[in-house]
Amino acid sequence: MFLPLGILAAFIFLTRRAERAAYSTLEGRPGAGGAVLQGLRRGWSYSEEPVAVEGGRGSHFQDAAMVFRAVGLPGVVLIGEGPTGRASKLLLAERRKVNRLTPNVPVTLYRIGTGDPNPKTGEEVVAPRDVVRKMSRLPKSLTKTEVTEVDRRLRALGAQRPPIPKGIDPTRVRSMGRGGQFR
């Protein structure tokens, strides 16, 4: 009798430890908001690509501000990441777009990172490991049919793709050097 309970307890302990390790690798990396959304349960609709991007200086995405969007029974959740000022401005701009298309739908703002919440924007500052838990505790205000309708409207808005390069990842390209020329 105690053997199955011991195995179950060990399984739960190891699962939580692996989850904590996965979230700790995400902190401070670009795209953490999209990776966190993959942990959502049924009932949420999201895209793995950001819905809004304000590029960083040069060609580096390390200091770019991004906004990810999820739609569920609690309404629309916008998750921003990047430098505090740019991420807050981008969250506000995206909130305005969402409110224009879906005026009666509640919009919740989260910013991944550290620091104080911004009272002007109404955003809440959270760690990546806390985003899914906070989203699951939001009060439900939409029906399933309303969720699909809101998601359909917002996807139509997202027809303009953000300026993210397609194809080869520029950070992983290896140079052929001088000796790599064909003869």
Side-chain angles (χ1 to χ4, degrees):
M1 165 143 172
F2 292 112
L3 183 63
L5 290 177
I7 291 172
L8 180 64
F11 180 71
I12 291 171
F13 174 75
L14 291 174
T15 302
R16 295 249 169 104
R17 234 180 120 156
E19 186 176 296
R20 197 175 322 137
Y23 282 129
S24 68
T25 60
L26 288 177
E27 289 192 27
R29 302 188 85 184
V36 166
L37 289 177
Q38 293 176 358
L40 288 174
R41 304 206 191 286
R42 280 184 11 173
W44 288 93
S45 175
Y46 63 93
S47 69
E48 294 179 12
E49 294 181 5
V51 293
V53 176
E54 183 181 311
R57 293 178 179 91
S59 63
H60 299 290
F61 279 101
Q62 298 290 25
D63 55 348
M66 297 181 230
V67 173
F68 295 90
R69 179 179 59 220
V71 180
L73 294 174
V76 178
V77 177
L78 299 175
I79 302 170
E81 64 178 58
T84 306
R86 281 192 273 165
S88 294
K89 287 178 185 175
L90 207 54
L91 277 169
L92 277 178
E94 195 62 29
R95 174 194 254 172
R96 276 188 239 115
K97 289 178 189 176
V98 169
N99 283 337
R100 239 187 349 254
L101 282 175
T102 57
N104 298 326
V105 176
V107 179
T108 308
L109 302 179
Y110 292 128
R111 183 173 51 83
I112 293 179
T114 57
D116 297 325
N118 190 344
K120 292 179 184 175
T121 61
E123 69 187 25
E124 191 175 337
V125 179
V126 294
R129 65 181 173 274
D130 298 332
V131 172
V132 174
R133 183 177 27 184
K134 288 206 177 254
M135 287 174 68
S136 66
R137 292 181 181 168
L138 290 172
K140 307 206 178 348
S141 61
L142 300 176
T143 63
K144 288 183 181 180
T145 55
E146 290 172 335
V147 169
T148 56
E149 179 64 26
V150 168
D151 187 43
R152 187 182 62 77
R153 284 185 185 183
L154 293 176
R155 285 189 192 270
L157 169 75
Q160 309 109 2
R161 290 277 120 218
I164 297 177
K166 302 287 184 200
I168 298 173
D169 184 5
T171 61
R172 302 203 185 254
V173 174
R174 286 183 275 163
S175 174
M176 292 177 58
R178 291 185 171 256
Q181 296 174 353
F182 295 106
R183 293 180 193 239

